[in-house]
Amino acid sequence: MALHAVIMAGGSGTRFWPASREQRPKQLLRLAGSQDTLLAATVKRIAPLVPNERVWVVTAGRLLQETRDAAPALMPAHILGEPKARNTAPCVAWATAAILEEDADATIIVLPSDHHIADEPAFLAALAEATTAAESGYVTTLGIVPTRPETGYGYIEFGTSIGSAKSVKRFVEKPQLDVARSYVDAGNYLWNAGMFIFRASVMRDEIAEHMPDLAAGVTRMLSATDPARRALAIAEVFPTLPSISIDVGVMERCTRIAVVPADIGWNDVGSWESAWELASKDSDGNSLRGNALCIAGANNLVWDLRTAPHSAVLAVVGLRNMVVVFTDDAVAVLPREFAQDVRKIVEALRARGDSAFL
Amino acid sequence: MALHAVIMAGGSGTRFWPASREQRPKQLLRLAGSQDTLLAATVKRIAPLVPNERVWVVTAGRLLQETRDAAPALMPAHILGEPKARNTAPCVAWATAAILEEDADATIIVLPSDHHIADEPAFLAALAEATTAAESGYVTTLGIVPTRPETGYGYIEFGTSIGSAKSVKRFVEKPQLDVARSYVDAGNYLWNAGMFIFRASVMRDEIAEHMPDLAAGVTRMLSATDPARRALAIAEVFPTLPSISIDVGVMERCTRIAVVPADIGWNDVGSWESAWELASKDSDGNSLRGNALCIAGANNLVWDLRTAPHSAVLAVVGLRNMVVVFTDDAVAVLPREFAQDVRKIVEALRARGDSAFL
């Protein structure tokens, strides 16, 4: 009963513009105070439990080469490129079926590629507990112990104990602030961080039960064993699969579902604000990279990410709580509190047909 | 009695960094909402009174070519390059002596090269009045009617009328705020904007009286008529001339001195803040240039001044009262209220030996 990992590495590359682009989404960036990309850090983090040869990555077809380059220790055949984005249920179904071909007795850890986890020992311990629940037949999730009444995440309400895991009473969508506050106060709500652990055969059966169209599609995709014919089948069938999340398609309909509360220093690296929080900073709270000069300012992220940093200089004076990012072909400036609005730049560039900068 | 103009075009290029540089100081920039550089605008502005062939420019030797390029309608021989910066008295003395060689009966208007004047008819009318005073023997200045208790300028206190000009009671240095307020309230103080009008022979005599070393030096500089020998004499002698302003060296010691009050929409274009004030702006108060995108922001100067503006994009979100300038080799970001502090960037670059960006 070997452990496999599936790292979900899609992403449209808008929230970290101009560092992120369609061809260089967030998981391919060095954002969390590390020399590694978020994807490489995810592979490293899981390595004590899952060796590289059992790590799979599902990404967008257009990112196949970039993803292989970013995770060179993984087997190229284990990096799957989706012909079209279809949300997470087809992603999980495909990877599960592919792993079952190699290991009928597999247990699978599904992880996002673009989060940060500060407390790796606690993360690995939570995964070990979740694996125990999964091996006894539960579709298991890691639920993050909330640290604030965040309205940007879904929540999981848990109930009674199942070994060292908990039963799941319900999944709830992103709440209003007052509702989120009541969840945090109640103490039995966790953030849904998109980390799942299950026996591959259990997931196959759950998909067959709750999403028979998806199951049938994946069977057709993989019916050919000849690589060229299989590639053709994937290209034909995958885009027709139902676009639905694994949460809605399977998790919320499962009866044998468990959650392991995890207090692991999780951060979804959701915006430049998160990047500033995670970055190492000087005594004035400034995070500087490249040929950046920050005078009389505090609590800024000032990143010169150009490939030839000494060909130019990025200099700021008197800034507070600002994000300034300089790449080879763009400059973005915004207050940290406007970090979510960087996508408005991407929308404006798209609206005016400026695809070179997307 | 022909009118000549001498445009003083020195400048170290720090206050408009990164647009201004040692080799591209302020007067060579397009800063005042015009397609012209400040220098070219100065030449144009004086043209109704002084034809191009009687306009002289004194600049730094290192800027001789750039200045000729920026003022191609002027005679190359009328663009004088100082071997070393020696403040304004040697500049005025040299230009006066050079003009006297061509026109013993000249009257000279001395103007800074890097100011903006909104009301050109009023400016020309004030100059005409000042010329009348000058031609009757007065060293005459234009004094700007103050619009605020500015502490960054020197003031001129005026007294009784001399024709349509006024007598000068005294020049005063940059005052404290309460003193500046009392000057504005008193009504008989004007800003000293560095604009002087005099008969060349009067200035020659005043310099000989009050600064005999300077007069002797200029005589030595111009004693040779052979161009090569004269160039050598200038290179040898000019750096030894006393470094002193024409205000201190001559104006404050003159007995026959007059001032013409001028209400002409004068702006010294002293900082990025002035550039924002003078720029044409959209309905949100934003001044945008080049490939700049400003979303959900107001009252910003966002200038992409690169020579190939479509090779990159400058995008800002949620900014208020900020200056963002993008050139071929630098980005500067600062709040408008920190506009004076841009020179701190230049100082920091100099301190770390980054001369490429100076």
Side-chain angles (χ1 to χ4, degrees):
Chain A
M1 190 170 296
L3 263 179
H4 298 247
V6 173
I7 299 174
M8 294 188 293
S12 59
T14 57
R15 286 193 290 182
F16 284 89
W17 192 91
S20 63
R21 300 294 175 93
E22 288 180 350
Q23 278 306 105
R24 192 174 61 221
K26 179 184 154 197
Q27 69 271 16
L28 300 181
L29 302 178
R30 289 163 182 82
L31 282 174
S34 155
Q35 288 302 307
D36 293 316
T37 63
L38 291 174
L39 173 60
T42 303
V43 173
K44 268 193 193 173
R45 192 182 297 128
I46 197 75
L49 287 178
V50 187
N52 286 339
E53 61 270 23
R54 294 204 302 268
V55 175
W56 297 65
V57 179
V58 187
T59 185
R62 70 173 195 283
L63 297 171
L64 210 45
Q65 191 56 51
E66 287 81 355
T67 303
R68 285 179 177 154
D69 292 346
L74 305 187
M75 295 171 65
H78 284 186
I79 301 189
L80 308 180
E82 299 177 336
K84 188 174 179 186
R86 301 305 282 164
N87 210 327
T88 52
C91 161
V92 170
W94 180 14
T96 298
I99 290 171
L100 277 169
E101 288 184 331
E102 295 193 0
D103 180 0
D105 206 26
T107 293
I108 298 176
I109 300 171
V110 174
L111 297 170
S113 60
D114 56 356
H115 295 172
H116 177 72
I117 291 168
D119 188 346
E120 300 202 352
F123 169 65
L124 295 171
L127 277 184
E129 285 182 9
T131 303
T132 302
E135 289 181 349
S136 63
Y138 285 88
V139 174
T140 312
T141 72
L142 286 201
I144 305 297
V145 178
T147 55
R148 60 183 187 273
E150 172 67 50
T151 59
Y153 308 141
Y155 285 70
I156 301 168
E157 184 185 0
F158 68 82
T160 53
S161 293
I162 303 171
S164 55
K166 302 286 184 184
S167 67
V168 171
K169 293 176 80 168
R170 59 177 181 139
F171 288 83
V172 288
E173 297 292 313
K174 296 173 185 178
Q176 297 290 315
L177 183 60
D178 54 339
V179 177
R181 285 206 185 101
S182 72
Y183 291 169
V184 174
D185 292 343
N188 64 327
Y189 284 83
L190 303 166
W191 288 337
N192 182 357
M195 298 190 276
F196 307 111
I197 305 91
F198 45 76
R199 290 188 59 171
S201 59
V202 168
M203 180 54 71
R204 178 193 56 203
D205 296 347
E206 292 286 345
I207 291 171
E209 180 178 348
H210 301 297
M211 304 190 72
D213 290 354
L214 176 58
V218 169
T219 300
R220 272 194 293 141
M221 274 169 55
L222 303 189
S223 57
T225 52
D226 170 70
R229 290 186 56 205
R230 177 173 282 200
L232 200 62
I234 291 167
E236 281 177 6
V237 176
F238 195 91
T240 71
L241 298 179
S243 181
I244 189 168
S245 74
I246 190 71
D247 303 68
V248 170
V250 174
M251 302 296 160
E252 296 180 8
R253 300 170 184 174
C254 266
T255 49
R256 284 176 62 82
I257 182 134
V259 62
V260 171
D263 189 0
I264 59 178
W266 174 83
N267 187 309
D268 75 338
V269 199
S271 70
W272 284 116
E273 172 69 14
S274 312
W276 175 80
E277 288 167 6
L278 292 169
S280 57
K281 296 180 275 286
D282 65 21
S283 58
D284 294 319
N286 295 310
S287 171
L288 306 179
R289 287 201 193 173
N291 197 10
L293 193 61
C294 180
I295 297 171
N299 302 321
N300 302 295
L301 181 150
V302 183
W303 284 7
D304 167 15
L305 301 174
R306 290 166 309 112
T307 46
H310 288 286
S311 61
V313 63
L314 169 59
V316 306
V317 183
L319 298 190
R320 295 193 167 260
N321 304 311
M322 297 286 291
V323 169
V324 184
V325 180
F326 187 13
T327 69
D328 284 327
D329 65 357
V331 174
V333 184
L334 55 151
R336 276 178 31 223
E337 62 178 333
F338 278 72
Q340 295 295 345
D341 288 342
V342 78
R343 61 178 75 213
K344 289 183 181 170
I345 297 175
V346 178
E347 288 161 13
L349 290 169
R350 185 169 289 126
R352 74 183 204 187
D354 237 341
S355 59
F357 307 120
L358 298 178
Chain B
M1 191 170 297
L3 261 179
H4 298 247
V6 173
I7 300 174
M8 295 188 292
S12 59
T14 59
R15 287 193 289 183
F16 284 91
W17 193 91
S20 62
R21 301 294 175 93
E22 288 180 349
Q23 278 307 103
R24 192 174 61 220
K26 179 184 153 197
Q27 69 271 15
L28 301 180
L29 302 178
R30 289 164 182 81
L31 282 173
S34 155
Q35 288 302 307
D36 292 317
T37 63
L38 292 174
L39 172 61
T42 302
V43 173
K44 268 192 193 174
R45 192 183 296 128
I46 198 74
L49 287 179
V50 186
N52 286 338
E53 62 270 22
R54 294 205 301 268
V55 176
W56 297 65
V57 180
V58 186
T59 186
R62 69 174 195 283
L63 296 171
L64 210 46
Q65 190 56 52
E66 287 81 355
T67 302
R68 285 179 177 154
D69 292 345
L74 304 188
M75 293 171 67
H78 285 187
I79 301 189
L80 308 180
E82 299 177 335
K84 187 175 179 185
R86 301 305 281 166
N87 211 329
T88 50
C91 162
V92 170
W94 181 12
T96 298
I99 290 170
L100 278 169
E101 287 186 330
E102 296 195 0
D103 180 0
D105 207 27
T107 293
I108 298 177
I109 300 171
V110 173
L111 298 170
S113 60
D114 56 356
H115 295 171
H116 177 73
I117 291 167
D119 188 346
E120 299 202 351
F123 168 67
L124 295 171
L127 277 184
E129 286 183 9
T131 302
T132 303
E135 290 181 348
S136 63
Y138 285 87
V139 174
T140 311
T141 73
L142 285 201
I144 306 298
V145 178
T147 56
R148 58 182 188 274
E150 173 65 51
T151 59
Y153 308 140
Y155 285 70
I156 301 168
E157 184 185 1
F158 67 83
T160 53
S161 292
I162 304 173
S164 55
K166 302 285 183 185
S167 66
V168 171
K169 292 176 80 168
R170 57 176 182 140
F171 287 83
V172 288
E173 297 292 312
K174 296 173 184 178
Q176 297 291 314
L177 183 60
D178 54 339
V179 177
R181 284 206 185 100
S182 73
Y183 290 170
V184 174
D185 291 344
N188 64 327
Y189 285 82
L190 304 166
W191 289 337
N192 181 356
M195 298 189 277
F196 308 109
I197 305 90
F198 45 77
R199 289 187 61 171
S201 58
V202 168
M203 178 56 68
R204 177 194 55 204
D205 295 347
E206 292 286 346
I207 290 171
E209 178 177 350
H210 301 297
M211 304 189 72
D213 289 353
L214 175 59
V218 169
T219 301
R220 272 193 295 141
M221 273 170 55
L222 303 188
S223 58
T225 52
D226 170 70
R229 289 186 57 204
R230 176 172 282 201
L232 199 63
I234 291 167
E236 281 177 4
V237 175
F238 195 90
T240 71
L241 298 179
S243 182
I244 191 168
S245 73
I246 190 71
D247 302 68
V248 170
V250 175
M251 302 295 160
E252 296 180 8
R253 301 170 183 175
C254 264
T255 50
R256 284 175 62 83
I257 182 133
V259 62
V260 172
D263 188 359
I264 58 178
W266 175 83
N267 186 309
D268 75 339
V269 200
S271 70
W272 283 116
E273 172 69 14
S274 312
W276 176 80
E277 288 167 6
L278 291 169
S280 56
K281 295 179 276 287
D282 65 21
S283 58
D284 294 318
N286 295 310
S287 170
L288 306 180
R289 286 201 195 174
N291 197 10
L293 192 61
C294 179
I295 297 171
N299 302 323
N300 303 295
L301 181 150
V302 183
W303 284 7
D304 167 15
L305 300 173
R306 290 167 309 113
T307 45
H310 288 286
S311 61
V313 62
L314 169 59
V316 305
V317 183
L319 298 191
R320 294 190 169 265
N321 304 312
M322 298 285 290
V323 169
V324 184
V325 180
F326 188 13
T327 69
D328 285 326
D329 65 357
V331 175
V333 184
L334 55 150
R336 276 177 31 222
E337 60 178 333
F338 278 73
Q340 295 295 345
D341 288 342
V342 78
R343 61 177 75 212
K344 291 184 180 170
I345 297 175
V346 178
E347 287 162 11
L349 290 169
R350 187 169 287 127
R352 72 183 205 189
D354 237 342
S355 59
F357 308 120
L358 297 177

